[in-house]
Amino acid sequence: MKKLSHTTGAGKADMVDVSGKPMQERTAIARGHITLAKITRDLITENKMKKGDVLTIAEIAGIQGGKRTSDLIPLCHPLMISKISVTATLDATGVSVESFAKCTGQTGIEMEALTAVSIALLTVYDMCKAVDKGMVIDHVSLISKEKK
């Protein structure tokens, strides 16, 4: 059985030491979805939500969230992020969100990509909760991660 990387031999939480790893360009892509009622999708399309432009605000929130990942996830390393982009798209059942994150560092950037998607989806939820009580956030997943 594999040993968890964020625990000591005694089972205590421990931040992984990445100092011996080489600096590499690292990228990650994540996706997620929020299912919305038709009336909610129509309000977003017509830009009539009381809190404003849902898709643009969700994209900005996702970028901000991705940049703050190490503040939110206790054992996550702070990274020198060179790029985070978030795209929120209205589809037939709700809003799909995709993020791309990039850094040059000693550890991966997948948590930043996943956090960006999650925060963007939570922002859609927050902006639409007054009109839609049946929203469901799902399918948040890592699509790819690479290092060069």
Side-chain angles (χ1 to χ4, degrees):
M1 188 162 126
K2 276 188 155 183
K3 180 186 177 298
L4 295 174
S5 61
H6 284 76
T7 58
T8 66
K12 295 287 186 183
D14 186 36
M15 187 176 198
V16 174
D17 181 357
V18 297
S19 61
K21 294 173 84 176
M23 296 289 283
Q24 294 177 294
E25 180 180 288
R26 296 164 183 268
T27 60
I29 297 171
R31 283 193 198 122
H33 186 266
I34 183 166
T35 302
L36 305 170
K38 181 177 182 340
I39 184 66
T40 310
R41 295 190 312 271
D42 291 346
L43 289 168
I44 292 170
T45 299
E46 297 164 11
N47 198 19
K48 290 188 177 176
M49 285 300 231
K50 288 188 178 189
K51 289 188 173 186
D53 180 348
V54 173
L55 300 180
T56 300
I57 294 169
E59 290 170 348
I60 293 168
I63 292 167
Q64 288 178 311
K67 289 168 40 177
R68 300 291 306 265
T69 300
S70 65
D71 293 332
L72 299 169
I73 300 175
L75 300 177
C76 207
H77 291 84
L79 300 175
M80 290 296 300
I81 299 168
S82 53
K83 176 71 176 170
I84 294 183
S85 62
V86 176
T87 305
T89 308
L90 199 59
D91 62 31
T93 60
V95 174
S96 294
V97 175
E98 182 170 298
S99 71
F100 170 82
K102 179 179 176 181
C103 74
T104 300
Q106 295 167 296
T107 188
I109 193 157
E110 63 271 19
M111 294 309 300
E112 287 72 11
L114 287 161
T115 300
V117 165
S118 298
I119 295 299
L121 291 167
L122 287 168
T123 300
V124 172
Y125 191 102
D126 179 60
M127 294 186 75
C128 300
K129 67 186 176 194
V131 297
D132 194 340
K133 305 301 183 198
M135 296 178 286
V136 177
I137 294 172
D138 57 14
H139 302 326
V140 175
S141 60
L142 182 66
I143 303 305
S144 68
K145 70 176 190 172
E146 295 181 11
K147 58 183 172 183
K148 297 176 188 174

